[in-house]
Amino acid sequence: MGELKLRKGNEAIAEAAIRFGCDGYFGYPITPQSEILETLMVRKPWETTGMVVLQAESEVAAINMIYGGASCGKRVMTTSSSPGISLMLEGVSYLAGAELPCLIVNVVRGGPGLGTIQPSQADYFQATKGGGHGDYQLIVLAPASVQEMHDFVGLGFDLAFKYRIPSLILTDGVIGQMMEKVIVADQEPRWTDEQIQEISGEWATTGKTKDREQNIATSLILEAEEMEKHNHKLQAKYREIEKNDVRYEEFETEDAEYLMVAYGSSARICQKSVEIAREKGIKLGLLRPITVWPFPTIRLAELANQVKGMLSVEMSAGQMVYDVKLAINGKIPVEHFGRVGGMVPSPGEVFEAFEKLILGGK
Amino acid sequence: MAKVRGAIDVDIEHCKGCGLCVEACPTHVIQLAKKVNGKGYNYAHMHQPEACIGCANCGWVCPDSVITVYKVKV
Amino acid sequence: MSLLEIKNIINKENLVYSKTKVVTDNVMHYCPGCSHGVVHKIIAEVIDEMDIQDKTIGISPVGCSVLAYNYLDIDWQQAAHGRAPALATAAKRLMPNHYVFTYQGDGDLASIGTAEIMHACNRGENITVIFINNAIYGMTGGQMAPTTLLGMRTSTSPEGRSVDLHGYPLKITELIAQLPGAAYVTRQSVHTPATVRKAKKAIRKGFENQDKKIGISFIEIVSTCPSGWKISPVESNKWMEEHMFKLYPPGDIKDSEKADEDPYKK
């Protein structure tokens, strides 16, 4: 079951797309994620699984191709990096409004603007607080290894279709570019037309047959009363996701007196910082949100009864720290440490920040 | 020479009185009524029904698909 | 002719023209005399006559025809402004045996969506594009379109479109005809019974080209907007013939059974 391979994070995404039976990939090159489209073009899955791969003329076109494909009940995905994702956000809002399942990957780079091609986590707000217009959420998965890059393609699609919602893999240039061993999934067949009817027949635009009403993929509801109802329906769905699909991982939290909160590549760095602390006899633990939306709010609130302080570590000027503070609700001190603009902190640097900000400069 | 007689049936309540059928009719059968429908439009009707040849030109140009056309040979 | 005689003629067996069942019973929101209704109807008739209702996917734009899905009884996708060709590209590539068409206005296709239409045409996607050009923005209340004629008054060119201030009207259909992936490019109108019949034939050809997989079929319909132009529907038709046809003359611009370069074929 599964083959062991050595892969870049980006390559693992491409490989997983084929293996999990993705129907279509539509994307536009941008560093640091171009290997995804390149890998797919080399692998030519249209000759094996029948998966469609297309280099779109822009990110704007790519996300709207996703809208077109997702409307047909197909499992479609796109990938990009920060500036490209910004371009896609109108389409993402439409996808959320029309309740279309799909998978989007953001291999985050430093911003704002054209910024840098170096890794960053400064798109957290964009990913978890909407980003586009209107009240909507995406399921946001934050892989911390090449294995998770691979696995979350499958998980992202599963959750997207479970809730009829776009899933987003929020990763960064570190995970995208680094090579690790990965166990790749066995090849899954793409869904047949019959399976699509069974799974999405109620809404997918597969051609109006005589035995059913029209299916229309739209986010337009002109009457305010109806639009409010639609919003309430979306919000109810989001509450359901918050109840059922929060995912996180804990490291050395059992006896922890202090906690770091970090996701993705920052969590990998913090794991080492925790080891440094433990060597010095400091009982530091780590909580790694795997879903940054829905956020592990309840578990953090529980841990606030156990630890004396929390440090949110992100490669941003402090974004997730707001979610940590909301979860803790003033109970204990919460601080932020991060490098910005494409800089990656070292474990020692993070530990020092922890000492200064949480232990009080000891 | 076989003579044809036609007639049109206008869905009066859905007619918007645009008058394009009046213009398209080669035998000047159709006019907009002096009366209005529920929406306040002067709807199309057969003003000179005996002139209708059932050519369906009115139906072709009607943007609201409210005209049904019939034709018989007499 | 007596009422009785009329009643005798109005009889199922004498029926020569009626609304196709692919047009729904919903009352169209379009203004009196608007060309959209005629174009909707002939698309529906083509779908009915080709018996492809269960295999046709329409992509509606942003603009007056955003609600086209209320009027044609097929499956629809409602696109973001200008992006319909991107949706259609994916839908067609993922369901190659379906018939996919976009329905776009001049603002949607020739302004905000220029990149998407150009690239879909250049890739030679096997889809049909229906482009409604009435030289004005109807939905938002009569603003200037990329296709607005020079000198034409709109709410954003109140003194008439001038080259200095607004630039030239865009003949996008001629541009598209230059692209190798565009197989069939034609300009039609629907202002007389004869032109409606011709436009319907063009649309049918556009749909049939999808079977041949020869590239994109692009059908411009020079249209009227009586409300936006602020003249009656009948006067609008005359104004269109006199003014619009000078810059946008009806007729086939390109018709190649085989596109010069067909990326779909290996």
Side-chain angles (χ1 to χ4, degrees), chain B:
Chain B
M1 193 181 115
K3 210 181 158 205
V4 289
R5 294 290 292 274
I8 63 167
D9 183 17
V10 180
D11 179 355
I12 289 169
E13 281 310 310
H14 292 149
C15 175
K16 293 176 185 160
C18 70
L20 292 179
C21 53
V22 177
E23 199 72 7
C25 178
T27 53
H28 310 291
V29 172
I30 311 170
Q31 276 195 4
L32 295 185
K34 292 211 167 62
K35 285 195 277 184
V36 294
N37 64 14
K39 291 221 166 101
Y41 292 121
N42 298 98
Y43 53 86
H45 77 133
M46 284 202 287
H47 178 66
Q48 295 188 75
E50 61 283 355
C52 181
I53 53 168
C55 69
N57 277 2
C58 53
W60 280 93
V61 300
C62 175
D64 293 283
S65 301
V66 300
I67 304 177
T68 311
V69 186
Y70 302 86
K71 182 161 84 172
V72 282
K73 279 182 185 151
V74 288

Side-chain angles (χ1 to χ4, degrees), chain B residues 5 7-8 14 16 18-20 23-24 41 46 49 54-57 59-65 68-72, chain C residues 1 5 9-11 14-19 27-28 30 32-34 37-38 41 192-193 196-197 233-234 237-238:
Chain B
R5 294 290 292 274
I8 63 167
H14 292 149
K16 293 176 185 160
C18 70
L20 292 179
E23 199 72 7
Y41 292 121
M46 284 202 287
C55 69
N57 277 2
W60 280 93
V61 300
C62 175
D64 293 283
S65 301
T68 311
V69 186
Y70 302 86
K71 182 161 84 172
V72 282
Chain C
M1 191 160 66
E5 272 181 274
I9 301 171
I10 296 181
N11 184 323
N14 301 329
L15 182 71
V16 287
Y17 190 89
S18 66
K19 180 168 85 72
V27 179
M28 293 190 187
Y30 302 117
C34 172
V38 182
K41 178 177 63 181
T192 64
V196 176
R197 286 183 173 91
V234 174
N237 280 344
K238 289 186 183 123

Side-chain angles (χ1 to χ4, degrees), chain A residues 26 52-57 65, chain C residues 84-94 100 102 116-129 180-184 206 209-210 213-218 259 261-264:
Chain A
F26 304 89
V52 169
V53 183
L54 182 65
Q55 177 168 335
E57 62 269 34
M65 288 171 184
Chain C
L87 276 68
T89 294
K92 183 69 180 184
R93 286 187 182 232
L94 290 159
V100 180
T102 69
E116 284 73 19
I117 191 63
M118 283 289 166
H119 285 276
C121 288
N122 197 46
R123 285 191 301 263
E125 301 294 342
N126 285 303
I127 59 170
T128 307
V129 175
Y184 175 48
N209 279 349
Q210 294 197 32
K213 301 198 187 319
I214 55 173
I216 212 160
S217 295
F218 186 97
E261 228 174 80
D262 186 352
Y264 237 79

Side-chain angles (χ1 to χ4, degrees), chain A residues 23 52 54 57 60-61 64-65 67-69 71-72 74 94 205-208 212 214-218 220, chain C residues 53-54 57 66-67 69 72-78 80 83 86-87 89-90 93-95 98 115-116 119 123:
Chain A
D23 293 303
V52 169
L54 182 65
E57 62 269 34
V60 174
N64 284 288
M65 288 171 184
Y67 188 103
S71 297
C72 301
K74 300 282 184 180
Y94 275 64
T205 60
T206 52
K208 185 207 168 290
R212 69 157 168 84
Q214 287 173 283
N215 281 342
I216 302 163
T218 183
L220 175 71
Chain C
Q53 188 178 14
D54 59 345
I57 312 296
V66 64
L67 295 168
Y69 53 74
L72 261 66
D73 191 21
I74 53 169
D75 280 358
W76 282 93
Q77 301 178 7
Q78 196 283 305
R83 318 299 174 212
L87 276 68
T89 294
R93 286 187 182 232
L94 290 159
M95 303 194 304
H98 280 61
E116 284 73 19
H119 285 276
R123 285 191 301 263

Side-chain angles (χ1 to χ4, degrees), chain C residues 29-75:
Chain C
H29 71 283
Y30 302 117
C31 305
C34 172
S35 307
H36 276 308
V38 182
V39 183
H40 283 16
K41 178 177 63 181
I42 54 179
I43 295 171
E45 286 174 1
V46 167
I47 291 168
D48 193 5
E49 285 160 23
M50 288 177 71
D51 194 21
I52 54 170
Q53 188 178 14
D54 59 345
K55 282 192 287 187
T56 302
I57 312 296
I59 318 283
S60 75
V62 168
C64 283
S65 48
V66 64
L67 295 168
Y69 53 74
N70 283 337
Y71 312 129
L72 261 66
D73 191 21
I74 53 169
D75 280 358

